[in-house]
Amino acid sequence: MSSAGPAPIQDGLLYAEDLAARVGVLSSLGPVTMTESEIRAFAQRWDPLPIHVGDGGPFGGVIASGLHTFAMFQRLAVDAAYSSWAVFAGRAIREMLLPRPVLPGDVLTGWVRVNGACPPRNGMAKLEVEGRLENQHGKTVLTLRLESYVSTARASRHRWSSLQPSGSGGSTCGQATGDDHG
């Protein structure tokens, strides 16, 4: 890459080329406070298990559904990052871990970052994204690894090859991953 740095952002969006040049950069998420009424309302509609809508069973009070925790991550990621990316579509959730419950009153913060980008095909590139949410005590409540497709603005093999990080490890670029439209 030239010493001039990443290309200017076009149309106010970060395209695949722009995001490939920003691999490893964290976008901060939150804060958002989880309320008991929101936890119960979400669970009543989407995951009405007793631990989410009843007395909380072994947790001693209701806990947020993992689906709710993921939905909160998604909203925070859209607000902080994805809304400025030229997102074409989500592709996969490669891993999602929920190491501890989210309780009413928890204040969630976190981050999202691009870990890698595959060379573009058909006007889009697959991004490998990682994210995390923590509660107000710094305890992790969600980690995930995702893949998304992002549109390209300037699909140039020469420019693209100069942006690829070396030894990124864990990349799914070029691997057979099922129904890969990219």
Side-chain angles (χ1 to χ4, degrees):
M1 183 175 0
S2 73
S3 60
I9 298 170
Q10 297 180 7
D11 307 324
L13 291 176
L14 294 171
Y15 290 87
E17 299 90 340
D18 306 313
L19 292 163
R22 291 168 172 82
V23 167
V25 175
L26 296 178
S27 295
S28 295
L29 307 181
V32 64
T33 301
M34 301 292 284
T35 67
E36 183 170 347
S37 61
E38 289 172 325
I39 288 171
R40 288 181 181 278
F42 182 95
Q44 191 63 47
R45 175 140 186 183
W46 302 110
D47 193 3
L49 293 172
I51 59 174
H52 307 311
V53 297
D55 65 3
F59 297 100
V62 297
I63 63 169
S65 164
L67 296 172
H68 191 184
T69 304
F70 172 72
M72 294 306 295
F73 170 85
Q74 180 68 13
R75 178 54 196 244
L76 293 172
V78 167
D79 290 347
Y82 299 166
S83 62
S84 66
W85 297 3
V87 174
F88 181 80
R91 184 182 185 288
I93 299 173
R94 290 283 173 212
E95 176 179 88
M96 185 171 83
L97 301 174
L98 301 158
R100 59 189 41 80
V102 172
L103 307 171
D106 277 354
V107 178
L108 304 181
T109 58
W111 51 262
V112 62
R113 75 172 167 226
V114 175
N115 280 348
C118 298
R121 288 187 351 190
N122 303 323
M124 64 183 144
K126 183 171 57 174
L127 294 184
E128 299 166 1
V129 179
E130 181 179 1
R132 175 182 304 265
L133 286 179
E134 298 177 344
N135 65 21
Q136 68 277 10
H137 306 294
K139 302 293 185 182
T140 301
V141 298
L142 175 134
T143 62
L144 45 69
R145 290 184 313 113
L146 308 166
E147 292 177 5
S148 294
Y149 289 122
V150 176
S151 297
T152 61
R154 309 161 296 279
S156 163
R157 287 188 186 262
H158 173 71
R159 174 171 157 65
W160 192 260
S161 63
S162 69
L163 296 176
Q164 291 304 294
S166 60
S168 62
S171 173
T172 58
C173 296
Q175 297 177 9
T177 56
D179 185 24
D180 194 351
H181 300 305

